[in-house]
Every structure is written in C-alpha cells, then in structure tokens.
Amino acid sequence: MAGSRTEAVRRRARRQWIKRLEKIFSALMVIVFLTPAVLCVFLLFKTTELEKEMEELKEQTESVATQLQEEKRTVFHLQQQLETEQQTQSAYEDLELENDAELEEPETISEESTDEASDMRNVYLTFDDGPSSYTNKILDILKKYDVKATFFVIGKDEPEYTELYQRIVEEGHTLGMHSYSHNYDGLYASTESFIEDFETLQNYLYDITGVESKVYRFPGGSNTASNLADIQGMIDYLDGQGVAYFDWNVTSRDSSTPMLSAEQIVDNCTQNIDYYNNAFILLHDSKEKSSTVEALPQIIEKIQAVENTQIVPITEKTTPVHQRIN
C-alpha cells in the first residue's frame, strides 16, 4: 500500500512538472513569435519618424540653399556696384587721359546742346532710387538754392509717392527712369524683361505726371548691367524709343556701408569737379540716406562757389556720360 501511494505521488508530481514545462514552452513560443512583430511595429514607427525628420531636414537644407543663393546674388550685385564706383573714382584721381576717355562723354558737343555749348562748367546733381521719405526735404533744399536736379526714380504706387513724382515735375526738375522694380535678377534676366519693366515705369510716370520721360539710368550703372545681361540689346531698344541713358563720372559714395558722414559725402562730390566740363554726380534719394540730405546744402554752396560753374538738370539735349562697357 505504501509503495502504491508513493508511486501515485511520483506520477502526480511528474504531471505537474510536465504541465509547468508546457506553460514555460508556451510562454517561450509566444515570446518567440511576438517579439519580431513588436520589433517590426517599433521599427516601422521609427522609420516613419526618421523619414519625417529627413523630409524636414531636406526642406531646411533647400531653404538655406535658397537663402545662400539669394545672398550670393546680392553680394555679387553689391560687389559689381562697388567695383564700378571704385573704378570711376580711381579714374578721376589719377587724371589719366585713357581712363578719362572711358568715363567722360565724347568731347564733340552738338551745337544744338543748349546746356553744354557755353564756356560754363555744368554740374548735374542726379538722385537715384527715389522717391522716398527724404524727397520733400531734398526738393525743399533745391528750391531754397534755386537749383534744378535730375531724379532717376523707380516705381512706387503708394499715394504719398504719387505726390512726390508730381512735385518733382512741377518744380522744374527732370524726371528720369531707373527701372520700375530695381530688381536686378528680374530686370536683367532678358531684353524682354527689361522692356516690360521699362514700359511699366514709363507708362506709370506718364499717367501720374503727364510727362513721357526720355532719360534712363541702369540700376548699378551700365557696367553692372553689362556684367549681368546682354546690355547692347537693351541700349538698342532705348535708342529706338528716343531714350538716352546716363551713367555718372563723380560719385558721392553715399551707398557705402557703413554710411558716410555728411562731410565725406561733400568731399566726394566736390573735390574732383574741376577735372570735368560736365560733371554728373551720383547721389541717392532713399530712406537710409540721411547724411546725403544733410550734405546737400554744402554740396550746392561749394559748387556754386566754383568760377564759371552752374548746376543744371539733364535734358534731352544733354550729351550723356557712359561708363566703358567691358
């Protein structure tokens, strides 16, 4: 009897052990089959997250690349403009006939050119990029000294600027064109885009003032334009429209960064005037050029103090000054 009970206990213990093993095995099987599935779900989730992050990084990279490209273009344009001004100023200071020939207008003056045919030295004050918040102050100063100037304007359709275009014309100044957009990339993309911009500005100014402007200045000057575009096609178009383009042979350097003082601008505008029978001075009419406005009365007074010298506006009969197109 005792042996039978012992054997029964052993069999029961064995069955219990087998059941435990089965449970352990089942658990292991569950783990073996579920683990890959869980890992797949986890990896899928992580992959999706990484794809989103990569997409965001790609967008950021493209944005940065675009910004760098725009900055590169801006730097290029500024370098071109600075090089143009440096070349111009260097030519005057050296007083070399070869350089003078590159920058000055032709020596032959038309007998019909009423503002250049006399023995007087003519000085042309030209203001680019306006109208601006300083235009009224500039006009007030010019009115005080009874001086006429030339404004190479761009397109601004706000009501306050409309009145400034009108005042420029009403007070006897020359209304010149400096492109509607002043956007180098768009303006100089092709001859067609140049023509579209030109016609937009000329028609806009005519609608406001009743004046069909016949004088033009390339943004950056013709040197800069020639480095960015097929400028000859643009010049041929202007010629066909009876429009003359003007550069400059004296620069105020008021577009320099950091901004020059009024005294420096006065010196830049007046120290080389004696070298030229016809001095075309580059100034800017923009909200950043407060020192230009401050310098203007002194510029006018110094020029008026020079013997046989007068300040006159550009007209359709004025012989243009052109930079050498390289």
Side-chain angles (χ1 to χ4, degrees):
M1 292 293 292
S4 297
R5 283 197 296 273
T6 302
E7 184 63 26
V9 170
R10 288 176 179 173
R11 285 197 296 271
R12 189 166 53 252
R14 190 180 297 113
R15 285 195 300 270
Q16 290 175 351
W17 173 248
I18 290 171
K19 287 181 178 181
R20 283 197 294 270
L21 287 177
E22 289 175 348
K23 290 180 179 180
I24 293 171
F25 180 75
S26 297
L28 288 174
M29 292 301 293
V30 169
I31 293 172
V32 168
F33 285 105
L34 285 180
T35 299
V38 172
L39 288 174
C40 286
V41 172
F42 176 77
L43 290 175
L44 180 61
F45 176 76
K46 283 296 184 182
T47 301
T48 303
E49 279 192 341
L50 288 173
E51 288 177 349
K52 289 181 179 179
E53 291 178 1
M54 290 179 65
E55 189 65 28
E56 290 176 357
L57 287 173
K58 182 180 178 181
E59 291 177 358
Q60 292 175 1
T61 301
E62 291 176 351
S63 176
V64 170
T66 301
Q67 291 177 1
L68 288 175
Q69 187 67 21
E70 290 297 326
E71 291 177 0
K72 182 179 178 181
R73 289 174 182 158
T74 300
V75 170
F76 174 76
H77 296 157
L78 291 175
Q79 286 176 338
Q80 293 297 322
Q81 185 172 358
L82 180 59
E83 288 175 4
T84 297
E85 293 185 356
Q86 288 175 337
Q87 291 170 1
T88 304
Q89 188 68 17
S90 175
Y92 312 143
E93 293 172 351
D94 292 341
L95 295 177
E96 294 177 356
L97 294 178
E98 181 179 354
N99 288 344
D100 286 347
E102 292 181 355
L103 294 171
E104 285 190 284
E105 69 283 13
E107 292 183 4
T108 302
I109 299 175
S110 170
E111 293 181 358
E112 298 178 358
S113 183
T114 58
D115 57 345
E116 296 181 2
S118 69
D119 294 332
M120 295 286 289
R121 176 184 294 106
N122 296 301
V123 178
Y124 302 85
L125 299 178
T126 68
F127 296 88
D128 287 9
D129 300 347
S132 75
S133 55
Y134 284 122
T135 305
N136 272 324
K137 291 184 178 180
I138 292 173
L139 290 170
D140 288 344
I141 294 170
L142 295 174
K143 187 175 184 179
K144 175 182 177 181
Y145 287 92
D146 193 23
V147 166
K148 306 302 180 186
T150 304
F151 290 81
F152 288 103
V153 299
I154 61 177
K156 296 183 178 181
D157 57 9
E158 293 85 351
E160 63 268 26
Y161 296 126
T162 301
E163 296 176 357
L164 293 175
Y165 294 119
Q166 294 170 342
R167 184 181 174 190
I168 289 171
V169 170
E170 289 169 357
E171 296 190 0
H173 305 287
T174 297
L175 187 66
M177 295 174 285
H178 195 44
S179 82
Y180 188 89
S181 64
H182 206 275
N183 182 307
Y184 286 34
D185 290 338
L187 178 68
Y188 295 136
S190 66
T191 301
E192 290 73 20
S193 62
F194 174 84
I195 293 173
E196 181 180 358
D197 183 284
F198 171 89
E199 291 179 345
T200 300
L201 179 60
Q202 190 180 55
N203 292 335
Y204 176 66
L205 296 178
Y206 182 80
D207 289 342
I208 293 173
T209 66
V211 172
E212 185 178 47
S213 178
K214 289 295 184 180
V215 293
Y216 190 90
R217 173 169 286 164
F218 289 98
S222 62
N223 263 351
T224 295
S226 67
N227 288 325
L228 297 175
D230 174 20
I231 189 176
Q232 191 56 52
M234 301 173 185
I235 292 173
D236 291 343
Y237 171 77
L238 294 177
D239 288 342
Q241 300 299 309
V243 175
Y245 77 93
F246 289 79
D247 288 311
W248 58 88
N249 53 17
V250 177
T251 175
S252 65
R253 295 188 180 276
D254 62 354
S255 61
S256 300
T257 301
M259 184 171 62
L260 298 183
S261 67
E263 290 74 18
Q264 290 172 309
I265 293 174
V266 172
D267 288 342
N268 290 337
C269 290
T270 59
Q271 63 185 353
N272 294 319
I273 284 178
D274 289 345
Y275 302 158
Y276 301 102
N277 290 329
N278 298 287
F280 295 79
I281 301 179
L282 172 64
L283 296 151
H284 288 85
D285 171 16
S286 64
K287 63 182 180 180
E288 297 87 5
K289 310 304 178 189
S290 59
S291 58
T292 300
V293 180
E294 182 182 350
L296 185 56
Q298 299 176 64
I299 293 172
I300 294 173
E301 290 174 3
K302 282 200 170 187
I303 294 172
Q304 290 179 333
V306 180
E307 187 176 358
N308 296 326
T309 298
Q310 61 183 352
I311 300 174
V312 293
I314 290 172
T315 70
E316 294 181 28
K317 294 182 178 181
T318 304
T319 303
V321 59
H322 292 162
Q323 298 166 345
R324 176 73 60 158
I325 300 174
N326 297 316

